[in-house]
Amino acid sequence: MRFFLFGALLLVNLQYVSAQSLQSNTNFQLWIDPTVNYSLSTKTRFSSDVYYRTRLNDIGWKQTVLRPGISHSISEKVTVLGGVGWFRQKDHELQPRNEIRYWAGLQYTHHLFWKVDLQHYFRAEERMFYQRGTKNYQNLRLRYRLGLNYPLKERDENGKSAQLALQYEPFLTTNSGHLRDQFFNTERLYFGVSNSLSPTVRVDAYYMLQWGRTLKAEQFYFTDHIIQLKFVYTINPI
């Protein structure tokens, strides 16, 4: 039943995206994300990723991200996470915009049927923006990600495995002012493959469709087509 509800929700949102696409600002982006994980114990892990994001059709726009965090597995199904991130956005000749983001999340994973796992991820973010020449501001953003994971290759004795992932993630910015009459102001749909090459090295490749509005008027509707490449190295000293 959950699987059909997941599919119906995606279908409704994709139809909405198609209907709005003629009046949207469409961008094509590349995200590159090297990540280092450090296992503090069998249940606790420190991680830090460094994103680089750019628009392929707008070379004057780019964003860099430094985001350390920590996660702790309460059980096989439940993990709590938290951290802080620094985001720096450069948009043509404008002054760079900086964002400090504190975040905390809860992840719950359970087996759905056959080899399919269903994952729920709830996350809250306190975001503070700083830009020279403008008034600084902050907002609270809530995120929920629903994911389906299917193993393409079971983990072997060398630690190699592969997994197919489909995820849907809506965002709610609670006090942005311009969007008070909207429930979701940004939504994402992910599809990709996670490939573990060894117990310490993993490579992920995703296509992401992102859509929403920056302001209430129709001309501020946007659509982003994103290719995300993630390289993960895990250190296990224990």
Side-chain angles (χ1 to χ4, degrees):
M1 185 64 177
R2 294 187 184 95
F3 178 80
F4 293 109
L5 290 174
F6 180 80
L9 185 60
L10 288 179
L11 181 60
V12 169
N13 279 280
L14 287 176
Q15 287 177 338
Y16 179 73
V17 171
S18 298
Q20 298 289 334
S21 61
L22 293 178
Q23 55 193 7
S24 66
N25 297 312
T26 302
N27 295 296
F28 299 89
Q29 296 191 38
L30 175 64
W31 293 8
I32 299 176
D33 178 18
T35 300
V36 175
N37 295 325
Y38 187 90
S39 297
L40 301 174
S41 71
T42 56
K43 293 186 175 182
T44 306
R45 174 178 291 181
F46 173 81
S47 64
S48 183
D49 55 354
V50 184
Y51 265 109
Y52 175 76
R53 303 172 179 176
T54 185
R55 289 177 182 160
L56 301 178
N57 58 330
D58 183 5
I59 60 175
W61 184 96
K62 61 183 178 180
Q63 186 179 68
T64 52
V65 181
L66 176 62
R67 187 172 51 191
I70 193 168
S71 63
H72 178 74
S73 297
I74 298 176
S75 67
E76 291 184 358
K77 295 183 177 182
V78 180
T79 301
V80 293
L81 310 93
V84 61
W86 170 65
F87 295 71
R88 181 179 175 85
Q89 179 175 303
K90 185 69 174 70
D91 194 352
H92 297 88
E93 300 303 321
L94 299 177
Q95 288 292 331
R97 189 182 75 170
N98 293 278
E99 175 190 346
I100 302 297
R101 182 184 303 177
Y102 301 95
W103 58 273
L106 174 69
Q107 180 176 288
Y108 177 76
T109 304
H110 64 95
H111 185 69
L112 191 59
F113 59 83
W114 195 30
K115 296 182 179 181
V116 178
D117 290 331
L118 186 66
Q119 186 180 83
H120 306 271
Y121 182 35
F122 304 89
R123 179 162 158 171
E125 302 173 336
E126 181 70 28
R127 309 168 70 204
M128 292 171 285
F129 298 90
Y130 306 92
Q131 187 174 28
R132 184 179 300 175
T134 65
K135 183 179 180 180
N136 300 329
Y137 65 97
Q138 65 184 60
N139 60 41
L140 175 66
R141 186 166 73 177
L142 305 177
R143 302 168 61 168
Y144 166 67
R145 187 170 68 216
L146 180 63
L148 291 173
N149 301 315
Y150 175 78
L152 297 174
K153 178 183 178 182
E154 300 288 350
R155 184 176 297 273
D156 61 20
E157 65 276 6
N158 297 316
K160 295 182 179 181
S161 65
Q163 181 174 262
L164 183 68
L166 175 64
Q167 302 172 351
Y168 167 66
E169 184 175 22
F171 296 67
L172 171 62
T173 302
T174 59
N175 57 339
S176 62
H178 300 292
L179 301 167
R180 286 176 295 188
D181 59 342
Q182 291 185 217
F183 191 61
F184 299 140
N185 52 287
T186 304
E187 298 174 75
R188 289 178 179 173
L189 175 64
Y190 307 75
F191 177 78
V193 175
S194 177
N195 189 12
S196 295
L197 305 179
S198 72
T200 59
V201 178
R202 194 183 86 233
V203 178
D204 298 346
Y206 287 94
Y207 164 73
M208 183 194 309
L209 175 64
Q210 177 176 258
W211 65 94
R213 287 180 183 167
T214 54
L215 293 174
K216 197 168 68 172
E218 293 290 334
Q219 62 266 32
F220 291 100
Y221 185 89
F222 69 88
T223 302
D224 292 325
H225 299 275
I226 301 166
I227 298 297
Q228 181 182 4
L229 302 176
K230 188 169 186 175
F231 307 92
V232 182
Y233 180 71
T234 300
I235 302 172
N236 291 301
I238 55 177

